[in-house]
Amino acid sequence: MSYISMPSTDLLGEQIATVLAEPTTTHGLARTLRAAAKELVLHRYHHASQRAWPSGRIDEKPARVQIGGGAHLADGYYNIDLVPPADLLWDIREGIPLHDGTVNLIFSEHFLEHIDYPRSAKNYVREAHRVLAPGGRIITGVPDAGFVLNQYPGPLREADEMISRWYSKRDCLGDINTYLDLVNLLFRDQDDDLRYTPHLWAYDHEKLVQIFTEAGFTTVEPWTFDPALANPKRRWGSVYVIATK
Ligand SMILES: C[S@@+](CC[C@H](N)C(=O)[O-])C[C@H]1O[C@@H](n2cnc3c(N)ncnc32)[C@H](O)[C@@H]1O
């Protein structure tokens, strides 16, 4: 057996920091390296949890789970996210670390569009199906691509509400110059801001129905927004479905 020598992630992090500090490093390389440095941080969080649960399954068997809730922790739910303050820091692109058929309800909003499609998105939906008990349900909300695209082509001034609700506090505000810029943000929002994970895929109602049906869910229906569970700021411009195993 041959082994390829790989630098440790710590060494790689130091090397990236050194190259980033070089004034001659080009914008293109720096942009890529900053994204790699961010993945290294996420990799460290994930591997700390993986060391605690080497089988890839945690001992707990929570009945209600929120995935990708960020700072919006759901009461009575076990919160899994890449970064604090979740109950478990886990990279969902590596699967869901829960036992088969043990969960009654999964809640997730404004998460799915942040993982790569098809590999991670389809794997996540299959994993959700695996961990849910028979009759278990998963509620999923995403920015509604249908809503944004339905207004194209159109004048930017008619999108005032979208801009004020979604981008008024963002650095990108001054660079939203035509309606197509809003369409672009649907597909790659936050690509300019390393504090967040960017949008990698866009979804509408039809796509949500398709992806959950393909994974074996028996029904996929619209979910009526409930601000007691969902983040109230997601009500406007989002599409939600509830899929049953
Ligand atoms: C836009 S925030 C949404 C937070 C919250 N659901 C809300 O609506 O306010 C996306 C969340 O998904 C999490 N996330 C992105 N990729 C992830 C991954 N691969 N594994 C776990 N969580 C992830 C991020 O850390 C972040 O907390």
Side-chain angles (χ1 to χ4, degrees):
M1 189 187 290
S2 71
Y3 293 91
I4 299 168
S5 156
M6 288 280 288
S8 77
T9 53
D10 287 348
L11 178 57
L12 189 56
E14 285 165 28
Q15 290 171 333
I16 288 175
T18 305
V19 178
L20 282 173
E22 279 290 325
T24 53
T25 299
T26 58
H27 168 71
L29 181 59
R31 197 170 185 273
T32 303
L33 291 180
R34 279 195 292 269
K38 185 181 169 188
E39 284 289 345
L40 282 173
V41 173
L42 302 177
H43 185 269
R44 274 187 210 115
Y45 280 138
H46 178 79
H47 275 267
S49 298
Q50 209 185 32
R51 276 194 297 280
W53 310 107
S55 68
R57 302 283 182 265
I58 63 170
D59 284 351
E60 281 159 277
K61 292 185 176 161
R64 292 177 170 223
V65 176
Q66 178 176 222
I67 296 194
H72 192 259
L73 301 177
D75 265 356
Y77 283 70
Y78 187 80
N79 293 281
I80 303 177
D81 199 292
L82 268 178
V83 292
D87 300 305
L88 179 71
L89 305 187
W90 193 268
D91 187 343
I92 290 295
R93 292 171 294 187
E94 304 302 308
I96 301 179
L98 301 172
H99 296 272
D100 296 4
T102 53
V103 181
N104 293 330
L105 182 59
I106 299 174
F107 179 75
S108 173
E109 61 186 340
H110 286 242
F111 155 74
L112 184 60
E113 71 276 15
H114 293 274
I115 57 176
D116 52 287
Y117 177 92
R119 186 260 186 207
S120 298
K122 289 195 168 182
N123 188 50
Y124 161 66
V125 177
R126 279 193 298 270
E127 281 284 277
H129 189 269
R130 177 185 65 75
V131 303
L132 283 168
R137 293 175 305 163
I138 176 169
I139 298 166
T140 305
V142 286
D144 187 356
F147 170 75
V148 176
L149 294 172
N150 272 337
Q151 296 173 52
Y152 176 84
L156 192 61
R157 63 177 178 280
E158 284 177 16
D160 279 354
E161 188 172 7
M162 191 185 301
I163 294 171
S164 72
R165 283 179 181 271
W166 290 349
Y167 306 111
S168 61
K169 294 184 188 143
R170 295 273 306 282
D171 294 347
C172 63
L173 182 63
D175 297 311
I176 299 174
N177 309 124
T178 70
Y179 192 83
L180 190 60
D181 294 324
L182 292 173
V183 175
N184 270 289
L185 283 167
L186 177 73
F187 293 91
R188 52 182 72 87
D189 192 12
Q190 299 175 168
D191 187 48
D192 56 336
D193 192 334
L194 278 174
R195 288 172 298 170
Y196 305 108
T197 48
H199 287 188
L200 296 180
W201 205 254
Y203 295 85
D204 60 5
H205 177 79
E206 182 186 18
K207 183 61 199 173
L208 291 175
V209 171
Q210 184 277 321
I211 198 170
F212 283 100
T213 304
E214 181 182 289
F217 286 86
T218 53
T219 61
V220 188
E221 287 161 347
W223 182 68
T224 306
F225 191 90
D226 176 3
L229 175 56
N231 186 342
K233 79 176 184 184
R234 304 299 185 197
R235 184 193 286 266
W236 195 88
S238 299
V239 54
Y240 286 81
V241 294
I242 180 162
T244 305
K245 177 170 172 177

